[in-house]
Amino acid sequence: MCTMTDNYEVTVVGGGPAGLTAALYATRLGHETAVINRGGGRAAMMLDTHNVIGVTEDVSGNEFLRTATEQVKEYGADYMQDLVTDIEPTEEGYRVTAGNTEVTTEHLVLATGFSDKRPEPPLPRTGMGLHWCLHCDAYMFVDEPVYVMGVGDSAAHVAMIMLNFTPDVDLLTRGDEPEWSEETAEMLENHPIDVVHEDIAGMQKDDDGWLSAFEFEDGTVREYRGGFPMYGAEYNTDLAESLGVELNDDGTIAVDDHGRTSVDGVYAVGDVTPGHNQIPTAMGEGARCGIGNHYDLRAFPRSVEEIEQQGPVTEADVPGISEGLLRHAVTHEGHPGGPRTERSAASDD
């Protein structure tokens, strides 16, 4: 069986913005780290990146993730693309199996995300009329005709929220019976929203491929530039549940403010945990999780109780960083003793 190394301090399952940020922090804080990523995910679907300071909107999701992955690897983390199929507790942590690879790790970070429940076609392409994040994409449809699909309270509320951006909002039930509450129904009746019950029979697109209109089964045609399906999500928690991790009522993994779960040594970040499903939020969670792993793994300071058991810290004990990461760090261009970039050299002139 092929292995990357014998053992890691931190292994991240999932390679989205949250998982990669957790790995980046854990690695830069001196912990042997691995990322095992099956590929895909919500971020990979993005045609453009919105609401991420320092990242221009012409950067696609795949470009964003590729750059992030390279950054993590440059700091000394190991990365592999494969599907994790099994995690078993061991005396010192966990054994992770992915394809032909098996690694052991002290800590485990689950960044497995979720899958949006997609309505039946016909549908426009994601990012060109079909959008999943209101907070990311509502700005794109200011003063444009917009649809929201769904039959629950969340769909109705998103439709009403979109009135903050445009006066032209339709709520499409696609032939299904509404399931929203009486209170929500009363709210809808008092907002200028058309509830369209006929299902979609076809669609029209502009020359650039963007949605321009839906054709309905009753023969009507309604113009739209984009919209949001609201059918819920399926959280990828199989691995977490196999370890006995506590879940919230909505199916997300219960965590503290540093991503710790109910099981020692197991953390979770990103879309599989509660909160807004956006890149900046995921990155913040990943940063806190990486720091949390460092708090729980770092060798120093040694507590009074540990000093009584192990003795004082000697020169032979330090530094706490592994030899492999130490060698990597001192040769990294960001290290004062490492190779200097053209920019840093120019700053000396």
Side-chain angles (χ1 to χ4, degrees):
M1 180 169 287
C2 172
T3 61
M4 291 184 285
T5 71
D6 292 331
N7 183 69
Y8 294 92
E9 290 182 279
V10 180
T11 296
V12 180
V13 180
L20 290 172
T21 305
L24 179 69
Y25 269 75
T27 306
R28 280 179 53 90
L29 286 168
H31 304 289
E32 293 283 1
T33 303
V35 177
I36 306 177
N37 177 33
R38 70 173 182 178
R42 254 178 150 231
M45 295 191 301
M46 300 186 308
L47 296 182
D48 310 290
T49 301
H50 304 295
N51 293 0
V52 183
I53 290 295
V55 179
T56 56
E57 297 203 355
D58 60 336
V59 175
S60 70
N62 281 322
E63 291 171 325
F64 177 91
L65 294 172
R66 185 162 53 248
T67 300
T69 300
E70 288 303 315
Q71 287 177 310
V72 172
K73 291 163 63 177
E74 285 173 4
Y75 283 110
D78 285 333
Y79 177 93
M80 66 164 293
Q81 187 163 328
D82 213 328
L83 175 66
V84 173
T85 54
D86 187 59
I87 301 175
E88 297 180 13
T90 66
E91 290 186 4
E92 298 181 352
Y94 299 91
R95 181 180 297 107
V96 182
T97 302
N100 293 323
T101 299
E102 183 178 280
V103 303
T104 57
T105 186
E106 294 180 49
H107 283 188
L108 184 70
V109 178
L110 300 175
T112 49
F114 71 81
S115 300
D116 294 287
K117 294 180 181 178
R118 297 177 64 90
E120 293 294 323
L123 294 169
R125 180 182 175 186
T126 294
M128 303 187 73
L130 184 70
H131 303 263
W132 302 99
C133 177
L134 177 149
H135 298 104
C136 301
D137 292 346
Y139 180 87
M140 299 168 63
F141 302 113
V142 169
D143 205 30
E144 296 283 357
V146 169
Y147 69 85
V148 177
M149 291 183 189
V151 294
D153 284 289
S154 59
H157 280 265
V158 167
M160 290 183 282
I161 290 170
M162 284 304 300
L163 291 172
N164 291 290
F165 304 93
T166 177
D168 193 353
V169 182
D170 288 354
L171 180 54
L172 313 183
T173 67
R174 303 202 58 176
D176 296 325
E177 287 296 318
E179 298 175 1
W180 48 72
S181 67
E182 292 182 5
E183 180 180 355
T184 298
E186 184 175 352
M187 292 172 64
L188 274 175
E189 291 173 0
N190 288 278
H191 287 75
I193 292 172
D194 284 346
V195 179
V196 180
H197 293 289
E198 291 78 14
D199 200 0
I200 298 170
M203 63 181 169
Q204 301 173 8
K205 298 180 181 179
D206 289 344
D207 292 340
D208 59 6
W210 273 82
L211 173 72
S212 62
F214 279 137
E215 303 164 359
F216 293 87
E217 290 182 342
D218 64 355
T220 60
V221 176
R222 289 175 174 257
E223 293 184 358
Y224 302 109
R225 289 302 288 162
F228 304 87
M230 299 298 299
Y231 291 91
E234 295 177 350
Y235 294 96
N236 301 319
T237 58
D238 287 350
L239 293 173
E241 292 180 72
S242 73
L243 297 170
V245 168
E246 179 183 347
L247 303 183
N248 297 306
D249 290 341
D250 64 355
T252 57
I253 297 177
V255 293
D256 71 4
D257 60 358
H258 281 79
R260 300 180 185 93
T261 72
S262 60
V263 175
D264 288 342
V266 180
Y267 300 70
V269 290
D271 289 348
V272 77
T273 65
H276 295 294
N277 307 123
Q278 299 177 55
I279 289 178
T281 303
M283 293 168 67
E285 291 177 7
R288 289 194 298 273
C289 180
I291 293 170
N293 274 268
H294 177 59
Y295 286 165
D296 298 339
L297 284 168
R298 64 190 182 190
F300 313 117
R302 190 174 286 177
S303 69
V304 171
E305 181 180 353
E306 290 170 331
I307 291 172
E308 291 175 352
Q309 295 174 349
Q310 304 173 39
V313 179
T314 69
E315 291 185 1
D317 297 322
V318 297
I321 190 172
S322 73
E323 290 186 10
L325 283 180
L326 186 151
R327 290 193 301 269
H328 199 95
V330 298
T331 58
H332 192 274
E333 67 177 25
H335 191 277
R340 300 200 302 172
T341 62
E342 292 182 7
R343 183 176 63 180
S344 63
S347 66
D348 294 338
D349 295 339

